[in-house]
Amino acid sequence: MSYTTTTVEHLPSQEEIISKVSRLRLVGDQETKKSDENARAGPKYPAYLPVWDKTKFPDWEEVPYTDPGSRATPDKRNLFTAGSTHRQVTPAIGEEIEGVQLSQLTKEGLDDLALLAAERGLLVFRKQDFKDIGPDRQKEIVSHFGRLHIHPTMGHPEGHPEMHVVYRDPKDSTISRYVKPNEVQKISSVSWHADHVAETQPPGITFFFALEAPPAGGDTIFASATEAYNRLSDEFKKRLEGLLVVHTNKGMLDHSEASGGPVRFSPKETLHPLIRTHPVTGEKILAIHGGHATRIYGYKQEESDYLFNFLLDVLAKGHDFQTRVHYEEGTVAVWDNRTVLHSALYDFKGDERRHVVRIAAMAEKPV
């Protein structure tokens, strides 16, 4: 993607999109025709299209943090209101809740949500009006869980840097620097990670809400880092205690700068424990990640790679403590970024739009 000398780069207008798409003729079944109609109509939520604001922000400073889950009720009475239902997605990870509107939860209900997310890792809410309450109210709700994270390099809705827009539309040339679905240069598009672990205080509670989604594919897969730790033998756990992992986001920032994109913060390099403890549940977490985690501190590279690959293999092969979320318009996934890893899947067709927004609250320094 090429960038101009302006501070903000906008996507094409709805009129430009309609003009370009109107020259296309798609054939196929009713689902294909429906996708064609959606494309001609343009994005349903243009206010959430990404801009590439290059504003510089002060680097984050460490601040005291109290997890809202510490104030929750054990039975989640303020979350599981009258008429609501909930069920486990799998025994090890995930809870799907019906009959609850996130936009209507009280502060006490949000505290209960934080505890449930810590316990189950991932929460799924369908048919939510959250997508329609506006950016200010959306940010207000998520800020209950901590300072809102600002992505160092990615696009956000204009005026709202605390929101990270994930937008895929093959008819839009302005996002050509993204990897297109089905063009991933690996056998699999899976890349297990937790978000922004190079921060001194990485995100905890994360909201990911769908504005538009393909009818099939485009899911997110999740793995429980808590259950992954539990599966290890006691003797092996002892050998992991006390190890530190070097994290850095320098590669991400360098890549964005080389592409002419934003670099909103200075590069970070941090040391976090390989085995961390959740501040509310007290459970141990296997904090191993792809991406920004680079090596075990004090280990030679080959030694570090050996242990890294083994632990990532534990997560990748642990299908009995994994799950996935398929998105529909109005789906909101809420997860605790400390207790789960996730990966996007680039398995949907190249002619479909996927428009999702993430808001993440920063939590405590890992211990």
Side-chain angles (χ1 to χ4, degrees):
M1 177 177 180
S2 61
Y3 289 83
T4 68
T5 57
T6 57
T7 300
V8 178
E9 181 172 349
H10 295 270
L11 293 173
S13 67
Q14 181 172 334
E15 290 74 20
E16 290 174 311
I17 294 174
I18 293 173
S19 175
K20 292 178 180 179
V21 175
S22 65
R23 295 195 295 271
L24 298 176
R25 179 175 180 269
L26 301 179
V27 296
D29 57 17
Q30 291 301 314
E31 194 64 60
T32 302
K33 293 177 181 177
K34 182 178 179 181
S35 297
D36 186 28
E37 292 171 359
N38 290 341
R40 292 175 186 276
K44 293 183 179 179
Y45 290 83
Y48 290 86
L49 291 175
V51 298
W52 305 89
D53 189 341
K54 298 180 183 179
T55 299
K56 294 279 189 177
F57 292 91
D59 292 334
W60 299 106
E61 296 183 357
E62 185 176 351
V63 298
Y65 179 77
T66 300
D67 194 299
S70 64
R71 303 186 294 262
T73 60
D75 61 0
K76 324 296 187 306
R77 71 193 67 168
N78 300 303
L79 173 63
F80 299 142
T81 52
S84 66
T85 61
H86 58 100
R87 66 173 185 85
Q88 293 185 354
V89 179
T90 78
I93 180 174
E95 193 97 359
E96 186 149 345
I97 297 98
E98 296 183 357
V100 171
Q101 284 292 336
L102 290 166
S103 63
Q104 302 301 315
L105 287 176
T106 62
K107 292 181 178 180
E108 293 77 14
L110 294 174
D111 290 344
D112 286 359
L113 182 145
L115 177 57
L116 185 64
E119 294 171 342
R120 300 297 301 157
L122 166 71
L123 311 178
V124 182
F125 298 83
R126 308 283 185 186
K127 301 177 181 178
Q128 295 291 301
D129 63 7
F130 190 84
K131 67 186 187 310
D132 298 312
I133 61 177
D136 290 334
R137 177 60 178 145
Q138 290 158 349
K139 293 190 298 183
E140 180 185 11
I141 290 172
V142 184
S143 67
H144 179 83
F145 305 100
R147 290 182 297 173
L148 298 185
H149 186 260
I150 296 173
H151 199 292
T153 64
M154 300 303 288
H156 59 74
E158 187 167 9
H160 301 282
E162 306 88 351
M163 308 176 93
H164 171 204
V165 177
V166 180
Y167 185 72
R168 301 292 186 270
D169 187 340
K171 300 174 181 63
D172 189 339
S173 63
T174 65
I175 58 170
S176 59
R177 76 184 181 122
Y178 283 131
V179 176
K180 295 181 174 62
N182 301 326
E183 292 183 11
V184 178
Q185 298 303 307
K186 296 189 299 181
I187 293 173
S188 170
S189 62
V190 173
S191 178
W192 289 107
H193 67 283
D195 290 330
H196 302 290
V197 291
E199 302 286 8
T200 302
Q201 294 179 264
I205 297 298
T206 300
F207 278 51
F208 198 60
F209 59 99
L211 304 175
E212 294 184 74
D219 299 354
T220 306
I221 54 176
F222 293 87
S224 171
T226 304
E227 186 61 21
Y229 174 83
N230 292 338
R231 298 296 178 93
L232 301 175
S233 68
D234 290 340
E235 289 301 315
F236 195 74
K237 290 175 184 175
K238 292 177 184 177
R239 286 158 174 77
L240 302 181
E241 290 287 347
L243 295 180
L244 298 174
V245 180
V246 180
H247 300 79
T248 180
N249 63 4
K250 186 175 185 301
M252 177 179 66
L253 301 184
D254 288 348
H255 175 75
S256 184
E257 185 174 35
S259 303
V263 178
R264 302 184 180 106
F265 296 92
S266 303
K268 289 285 295 183
E269 181 170 299
T270 53
L271 287 175
H272 291 318
L274 175 60
I275 306 301
R276 66 180 295 185
T277 303
H278 197 282
V280 176
T281 66
E283 292 187 292
K284 297 291 185 69
I285 301 163
L286 178 60
I288 189 75
H289 316 105
H292 295 171
T294 61
R295 59 186 174 85
I296 304 295
Y297 179 73
Y299 277 31
K300 293 184 177 180
Q301 193 63 54
E302 295 90 343
E303 297 167 339
S304 177
D305 291 346
Y306 185 82
L307 182 56
F308 252 59
N309 290 337
F310 169 74
L311 294 176
L312 286 172
D313 206 40
V314 169
L315 284 157
K317 293 181 177 178
H319 298 301
D320 48 347
F321 49 88
Q322 295 176 7
T323 190
R324 68 193 293 159
V325 176
H326 176 67
Y327 301 98
E328 302 166 338
E329 185 177 330
T331 298
V332 181
V334 179
W335 67 83
D336 191 327
N337 192 59
R338 298 164 289 189
T339 66
V340 300
L341 279 77
H342 65 275
S343 175
L345 296 179
Y346 291 95
D347 59 344
F348 53 100
K349 296 178 181 179
D351 60 350
E352 296 167 310
R353 184 182 298 124
R354 184 176 186 262
H355 194 180
V356 197
V357 179
R358 187 186 73 200
I359 313 175
M362 300 170 76
E364 79 285 353
K365 182 178 180 179
V367 295

